[in-house]
Amino acid sequence: MTAPALARVAVVGASAAGLSVAEGLRRDGYTGRLTLIGDEPHLPYDRPPLSKQLLSGAWDADRLRLRSAEALDALGLDLRLGAAAVALDTEAREVALADGDRVGYDALVVATGVAARRLPGTDGVAGVHVLRTLEDALDLRGELRPGRRLVIVGAGFVGAEAAAVAREAGAEVTMVTDAAVPLADALGPDLGAMLSQVHAEHGVRIVPGVLVDAVLTEGGRASGVRLADGRTIEADAVLVGIGARPNTGWLAASGVPVGDGVECDATLHAGSGVWAAGDVASWPHPRTGERVRIEHRTNAAEQGLAVAHNILAGPDHATPFDPVPYVWSDQYDLKIQVYGQLRGYNQVRVVEGSLAERRLTALYGRDGRVCGAAGVTMPRATRRYRLLVAEQAPWPSTADLAPPPSARQAPSARQAPSARQAPSAGSAASGGPALSGRDA
Amino acid sequence: MKISVDVDKCCGAGQCVLAAPDVFDQRDEDGIVILLDANPPADQYDNVRKAAAVCPAAAIEVQE
Ligand SMILES: Cc1cc2nc3c(=O)[nH]c(=O)nc-3n(C[C@H](O)[C@H](O)[C@H](O)COP(=O)(O)OP(=O)(O)OC[C@H]3O[C@@H](n4cnc5c(N)ncnc54)[C@H](O)[C@@H]3O)c2cc1C
Ligand code: SF4
């Protein structure tokens, strides 16, 4: 069976995922109309530097451009910037834009990403920030001066990166998190503890294990936060980093299946010629069958390419999207990298380096198979273990893990690590097991 | 085909090496990209285009 005629593709969301769809379509030979709709006024720009080089002032906004104007021109786009999609009619196959325009399509891609969650009652309160857009980052940057007191609510990667930049700018930083160990959610208790330690050494005050109840204001401006246990912390500015919500409101009456994001099948198709890519897309992972939604930069690019490929192949010939997820985070001089999905892991082992050196690669396993690899400031070595993650290799015996031949390491790092396969008592903090004992 | 990389932008993701190991490598210490071949042979073109597309820092530029 051949795919239905395809002459009009509309992509909603003009950022990493949307751009990747557009590029993938053109590269695979699609010559029809290609409309790229984005509600931000800017040409597509990159978000990871917002909490890193842009926040610190090392880069200006121009450096965030994902593609040069010429490269975008070459794509031959019908580019609609500053134009929010407000509704979708899957019968008529039309997207309605805020300016009243309607864009018809044969295939539509939802790439609208996510929006930062806010604390209730803080809309429009001066001094309360989130960090998702260029404007957010520039506003926050304006607050980072020596002596200014910044409270960061939440200790995910974005909050932790902002904490590092704020300290380097001389601000006084307090990080409040309901987790017992900040960052343990993403990496497990031992790596989480190590990172907390690094932040503490850089002068970040960490207040763990408590929720923020409310932002306190004085004359319409944030003056601090009140914690669930009644304590208050004074602040000149508050950064709320408590995660994000998929931008699916505009799909409400469309019949497109929406749960935590757009619910696609394994090929990223959500039915009726509607596809999704990037932070907003949820799909059943072909190997685990579990529905996943991934907020990582490389996922947006890879998923965009996969959607482009599948649109051109047509629903009957579309192939499942089966990635090895990858995310990184830069904090101070540490580079953290994670391949695969650590969620639900119940085995972990340091395979190169050590916690003490703050340079290491650790393997994570679930039910006897490798499910992830995490590295701290060992990018090249960590990448080598990606293969084990991709293959979901059986959990290796220590003997299988002779360091790869090209690994150059400090002598102390090259000892055979010991494995501890059962969850340990000390790991109650975030539910994961601890790293193997030797140097933890 | 002519490739250039912006090492300042590169975030050491290594996605380029996975896509085109004959053309890209990474420095050991910080993972920053090393361009092994700025004018690769034609059989590498597809891999290189893929690398440029998936690079999460938009650090690879390809002129054809
Ligand atoms: C501060 C920060 C730091 C990050 N750091 C890292 C990192 O170090 N490593 C990493 O792997 N990932 C990182 N990420 C995550 C990464 O940036 C995202 O995974 C990526 O941006 C997802 O791309 P996307 O295109 O799916 O969504 P988005 O980038 O969210 O883009 C969606 C676009 O759609 C637009 N839009 C929304 N609704 C509509 C509508 N109705 N009509 C039209 N347009 C609409 C939005 O305004 C936006 O422009 C970071 C994110 C942030 C915010
Ligand atoms: S994929 Fe891009 S960011 Fe990653 S190492 Fe290669 S050039 Fe650098």
Side-chain angles (χ1 to χ4, degrees):
Chain A
M1 194 183 137
T2 54
L6 188 76
R8 302 170 304 166
V9 179
V11 180
V12 185
S15 186
L19 180 67
S20 166
V21 174
E23 286 189 334
L25 284 169
R26 289 300 190 221
R27 232 182 44 224
D28 288 350
Y30 172 72
T31 55
R33 197 184 78 195
L34 183 47
T35 307
L36 183 60
I37 300 160
D39 61 0
E40 295 187 82
H42 313 288
L43 287 174
Y45 66 91
D46 209 12
R47 283 176 219 285
L50 295 179
S51 51
K52 307 177 183 74
Q53 298 92 337
L54 186 97
L55 190 60
S56 72
W59 291 7
D60 60 24
D62 285 348
R63 292 209 65 173
L64 268 51
R65 286 267 179 88
L66 280 171
R67 295 292 181 267
S68 66
E70 303 84 75
L72 284 174
D73 267 356
L75 291 174
L77 299 174
D78 167 22
L79 187 58
R80 314 283 186 99
L81 295 179
V86 291
L88 183 68
D89 183 338
T90 49
E91 294 279 310
R93 299 214 168 195
E94 276 183 350
V95 196
L97 305 186
D99 60 13
D101 212 358
R102 301 178 81 84
V103 176
Y105 64 85
D106 303 312
L108 179 107
V109 183
V110 179
T112 43
V114 297
R117 264 175 217 275
R118 294 167 188 270
L119 285 172
T122 60
D123 281 2
V125 178
V128 180
H129 299 264
V130 292
L131 187 43
R132 183 74 199 171
T133 66
L134 180 55
E135 287 75 12
D136 294 340
L138 292 173
D139 282 354
L140 180 62
R141 185 161 107 182
E143 305 265 19
L144 304 184
R145 295 194 296 277
R148 293 278 281 183
R149 297 162 306 172
L150 175 68
V151 167
I152 299 177
V153 184
F157 279 151
V158 170
E161 290 180 350
V165 170
R167 279 303 298 147
E168 280 160 4
E172 288 174 24
V173 180
T174 306
M175 201 192 265
V176 186
T177 165
D178 58 339
V181 182
L183 289 164
D185 271 1
L187 297 167
D190 287 316
L191 276 177
M194 185 205 83
L195 285 176
S196 302
Q197 178 66 30
V198 170
H199 280 281
E201 284 168 16
H202 281 87
V204 175
R205 183 175 152 224
I206 298 176
V207 181
V210 61
L211 281 165
V212 168
D213 233 14
V215 172
L216 305 171
T217 58
E218 236 176 73
R221 208 193 138 83
S223 61
V225 294
R226 193 182 62 229
L227 309 183
D229 59 14
R231 280 181 290 169
T232 59
I233 302 173
E234 289 183 11
D236 302 303
V238 177
L239 170 62
V240 180
I242 53 173
R245 245 193 220 108
N247 287 320
T248 51
W250 64 286
L251 296 170
S254 68
V256 171
V258 168
D260 175 35
V262 174
E263 296 195 334
C264 305
D265 66 16
T267 71
L268 305 169
H269 191 213
S272 347
V274 176
W275 305 73
D279 285 7
V280 76
S282 123
W283 81 109
H285 197 285
R287 288 191 242 183
T288 61
E290 286 167 30
R291 201 160 264 291
V292 283
R293 188 174 66 73
I294 295 182
E295 294 182 11
H296 297 167
R297 177 63 181 78
T298 44
N299 183 66
E302 292 175 354
Q303 223 165 27
L305 292 180
V307 164
H309 180 86
N310 281 346
I311 287 175
L312 295 177
D316 294 339
H317 300 278
T319 46
F321 180 63
D322 184 13
V324 176
Y326 168 76
V327 66
W328 80 98
S329 174
D330 299 331
Q331 296 168 37
Y332 310 102
D333 51 358
L334 301 184
K335 176 178 282 294
I336 298 137
Q337 298 174 293
V338 182
Y339 292 98
Q341 289 199 295
L342 309 189
R343 200 188 330 147
Y345 76 87
N346 47 25
Q347 294 164 292
V348 59
R349 183 194 298 164
V350 173
V351 289
E352 293 194 36
S354 67
L355 275 171
E357 292 168 88
R358 294 180 178 170
R359 271 183 91 244
L360 64 98
T361 301
L363 277 185
Y364 292 70
R366 179 157 80 157
D367 306 330
R369 296 198 163 263
V370 175
C371 66
V376 178
T377 322
M378 277 195 127
R380 201 160 177 270
T382 304
R383 197 190 74 230
R384 274 190 232 103
Y385 290 93
R386 177 186 183 277
L387 190 62
L388 298 185
V389 182
E391 290 172 343
Q392 295 181 305
W395 188 248
S397 65
T398 313
D400 292 338
L401 284 175
S406 54
R408 249 188 284 129
Q409 304 165 323
S412 64
R414 192 177 279 226
Q415 298 166 21
S418 62
R420 186 161 71 201
Q421 308 221 342
S424 70
S427 66
S430 80
L435 290 174
S436 49
R438 178 172 56 91
D439 42 33
Chain B
M1 173 180 282
K2 197 172 174 328
I3 307 171
S4 55
V5 295
D6 183 341
V7 289
D8 282 347
K9 273 183 144 185
C10 170
C11 61
Q15 302 294 310
C16 54
V17 190
L18 296 166
D22 293 339
V23 181
F24 302 100
D25 198 356
Q26 285 177 284
R27 300 204 294 238
D28 247 344
E29 62 281 14
D30 54 10
I32 298 301
V33 62
I34 304 171
L35 185 56
L36 300 173
D37 188 350
N39 300 287
D43 63 0
Q44 289 296 319
Y45 288 5
D46 259 4
N47 294 344
V48 171
R49 291 186 196 114
K50 172 101 201 288
V54 298
C55 168
I60 301 172
E61 218 172 305
V62 179
Q63 286 175 346
E64 308 205 29

